[in-house]
Amino acid sequence: MPPPLTCAIPTSTIRYPHDCIDADLNCVFPIDPLRELASEEVIGETTASHFSMTFAQLLAEIRKTTIPARARAVDRVRPDGVILTGG
């Protein structure tokens, strides 16, 4: 199993404290718990690619460009399932 995920995805917002994310990215992006479930054969393996996006107030642009692009990227990976978090 790969080493635990650290904050390999930088969190650059100043709108809220993100100390917990800096300490353990799994609190918003639960890759390590999914890897553990896969190693216990509770679920299949995780994909090599993981996707994330931050909240922005440009909702029209997100709806028009970002979401379709993200959906195409996920479709190319061909996952059996997708987990969405509100982190």
Side-chain angles (χ1 to χ4, degrees), residues 2-77:
L5 187 65
T6 57
C7 198
I9 302 171
T11 305
S12 60
T13 185
I14 58 171
R15 296 175 193 225
Y16 62 89
H18 51 80
D19 296 344
C20 66
I21 299 170
D22 294 339
D24 183 6
L25 189 58
N26 287 290
C27 69
V28 293
F29 205 68
I31 300 302
D32 291 335
L34 291 171
R35 287 177 177 165
E36 288 175 28
L37 290 171
S39 73
E40 296 166 2
E41 298 181 355
V42 174
I43 63 171
E45 59 190 15
T46 61
T47 60
S49 299
H50 308 290
F51 303 93
S52 176
M53 66 180 255
T54 186
F55 174 76
Q57 294 184 352
L58 305 171
L59 297 179
E61 182 177 333
I62 289 172
R63 186 174 42 252
K64 184 177 177 183
T65 60
T66 305
I67 292 173
R70 195 63 85 220
R72 286 189 299 274
V74 169
D75 190 50
R76 283 191 295 273
V77 175

